[in-house]
Short mmCIF file of all heavy atoms in Angstrom, two decimals:
data_model
loop_
_atom_site.label_atom_id
_atom_site.label_comp_id
_atom_site.label_asym_id
_atom_site.label_seq_id
_atom_site.Cartn_x
_atom_site.Cartn_y
_atom_site.Cartn_z
N GLU A 240 -3.07 148.31 23.48
CA GLU A 240 -2.81 149.53 22.70
C GLU A 240 -3.25 150.82 23.39
O GLU A 240 -2.57 151.80 23.47
CB GLU A 240 -3.51 149.44 21.31
CG GLU A 240 -2.94 148.35 20.41
CD GLU A 240 -3.64 148.25 19.06
OE1 GLU A 240 -4.77 148.80 18.98
OE2 GLU A 240 -3.07 147.76 18.10
N GLU A 257 12.26 145.89 29.03
CA GLU A 257 13.11 147.13 28.94
C GLU A 257 12.34 148.29 28.37
O GLU A 257 12.66 149.46 28.69
CB GLU A 257 14.32 146.78 28.06
CG GLU A 257 15.26 145.81 28.71
CD GLU A 257 16.45 145.57 27.77
OE1 GLU A 257 16.50 146.11 26.65
OE2 GLU A 257 17.29 144.71 28.17
N ALA A 270 11.83 137.89 37.01
CA ALA A 270 11.86 136.73 37.87
C ALA A 270 10.54 135.97 37.88
O ALA A 270 10.45 134.73 37.83
CB ALA A 270 12.28 137.13 39.28
N ASP A 354 -13.26 148.45 71.64
CA ASP A 354 -14.50 148.05 71.06
C ASP A 354 -15.58 147.95 72.13
O ASP A 354 -15.31 148.16 73.35
CB ASP A 354 -14.34 146.74 70.28
CG ASP A 354 -13.96 145.54 71.13
OD1 ASP A 354 -14.17 145.60 72.36
OD2 ASP A 354 -13.43 144.56 70.53
N LEU A 355 -16.76 147.58 71.73
CA LEU A 355 -17.90 147.58 72.72
C LEU A 355 -17.73 146.50 73.77
O LEU A 355 -18.38 146.55 74.82
CB LEU A 355 -19.23 147.34 71.96
CG LEU A 355 -19.60 148.52 70.94
CD1 LEU A 355 -20.95 148.18 70.37
CD2 LEU A 355 -19.62 149.84 71.68
N PRO A 407 -19.67 162.69 75.05
CA PRO A 407 -18.39 162.77 75.72
C PRO A 407 -18.59 162.97 77.23
O PRO A 407 -19.48 163.70 77.68
CB PRO A 407 -17.76 163.99 75.13
CG PRO A 407 -18.39 164.16 73.82
CD PRO A 407 -19.78 163.74 74.00
N ALA A 439 -17.42 151.82 69.24
CA ALA A 439 -16.24 151.81 70.10
C ALA A 439 -16.24 153.00 71.03
O ALA A 439 -17.09 153.90 70.87
CB ALA A 439 -14.93 151.85 69.21
N SER A 445 -4.88 163.10 79.81
CA SER A 445 -3.67 163.90 80.12
C SER A 445 -3.27 163.56 81.51
O SER A 445 -4.07 163.42 82.48
CB SER A 445 -3.96 165.41 80.03
OG SER A 445 -4.31 165.78 78.72
N ALA A 449 1.27 165.82 88.41
CA ALA A 449 2.04 166.88 88.97
C ALA A 449 1.12 168.07 89.40
O ALA A 449 1.35 168.70 90.46
CB ALA A 449 3.02 167.39 87.94
N ARG A 451 -2.10 167.77 90.30
CA ARG A 451 -2.78 167.39 91.56
C ARG A 451 -1.94 167.49 92.76
O ARG A 451 -2.32 167.95 93.85
CB ARG A 451 -3.38 165.97 91.41
CG ARG A 451 -4.54 165.92 90.46
CD ARG A 451 -5.78 166.57 91.04
NE ARG A 451 -6.90 166.46 90.10
CZ ARG A 451 -7.23 167.34 89.22
NH1 ARG A 451 -6.48 168.47 89.10
NH2 ARG A 451 -8.25 167.18 88.38
N THR A 459 -2.27 172.32 101.43
CA THR A 459 -1.59 172.10 102.75
C THR A 459 -0.94 173.40 103.23
O THR A 459 -1.05 173.77 104.42
CB THR A 459 -0.59 170.97 102.63
OG1 THR A 459 -1.26 169.74 102.22
CG2 THR A 459 0.13 170.72 103.94
N ALA A 462 -3.53 175.80 104.35
CA ALA A 462 -4.01 175.41 105.66
C ALA A 462 -3.06 175.86 106.78
O ALA A 462 -3.47 176.31 107.83
CB ALA A 462 -4.30 173.93 105.76
N ILE A 465 -3.35 179.64 107.14
CA ILE A 465 -4.57 179.94 107.80
C ILE A 465 -4.44 179.67 109.30
O ILE A 465 -4.87 180.47 110.17
CB ILE A 465 -5.77 179.17 107.20
CG1 ILE A 465 -6.06 179.71 105.78
CG2 ILE A 465 -7.02 179.35 108.13
CD1 ILE A 465 -7.04 178.85 105.03
N ARG A 473 -5.47 185.14 117.25
CA ARG A 473 -5.89 184.76 118.58
C ARG A 473 -5.06 185.45 119.62
O ARG A 473 -5.56 185.99 120.58
CB ARG A 473 -5.77 183.22 118.77
CG ARG A 473 -6.04 182.76 120.18
CD ARG A 473 -5.92 181.25 120.26
NE ARG A 473 -6.13 180.78 121.61
CZ ARG A 473 -6.19 179.51 121.96
NH1 ARG A 473 -6.06 178.58 121.07
NH2 ARG A 473 -6.32 179.16 123.22
N ALA A 494 -15.20 194.08 119.02
CA ALA A 494 -16.46 193.35 119.32
C ALA A 494 -16.13 192.02 119.96
O ALA A 494 -15.08 191.42 119.70
CB ALA A 494 -17.26 193.15 118.02
N VAL A 533 -21.28 190.05 126.01
CA VAL A 533 -20.12 190.56 126.67
C VAL A 533 -20.22 190.41 128.16
O VAL A 533 -19.27 189.98 128.86
CB VAL A 533 -19.90 192.06 126.30
CG1 VAL A 533 -18.70 192.63 127.11
CG2 VAL A 533 -19.62 192.18 124.78
N VAL A 565 -26.26 196.99 134.83
CA VAL A 565 -27.33 197.04 135.80
C VAL A 565 -28.66 196.57 135.21
O VAL A 565 -29.39 195.82 135.80
CB VAL A 565 -27.51 198.44 136.38
CG1 VAL A 565 -28.72 198.55 137.30
CG2 VAL A 565 -26.22 198.83 137.20
N GLN A 581 -5.65 202.79 135.14
CA GLN A 581 -4.74 203.25 136.16
C GLN A 581 -5.17 202.85 137.58
O GLN A 581 -4.39 202.35 138.37
CB GLN A 581 -4.55 204.76 136.08
CG GLN A 581 -3.48 205.29 137.05
CD GLN A 581 -3.31 206.78 136.86
OE1 GLN A 581 -4.09 207.46 136.13
NE2 GLN A 581 -2.29 207.36 137.49
N GLN A 582 -6.49 203.11 137.86
CA GLN A 582 -7.03 202.69 139.20
C GLN A 582 -6.97 201.17 139.34
O GLN A 582 -6.59 200.69 140.45
CB GLN A 582 -8.44 203.14 139.32
CG GLN A 582 -8.62 204.69 139.39
CD GLN A 582 -10.03 205.11 139.37
OE1 GLN A 582 -10.91 204.34 139.07
NE2 GLN A 582 -10.26 206.35 139.79
#
Side-chain angles (χ1 to χ4, degrees):
E240 291 181 340
E257 294 181 357
D354 63 21
L355 296 183
S445 298
R451 289 290 181 267
T459 301
I465 292 171
R473 175 178 176 176
V533 173
V565 172
Q581 184 179 7
Q582 292 175 345

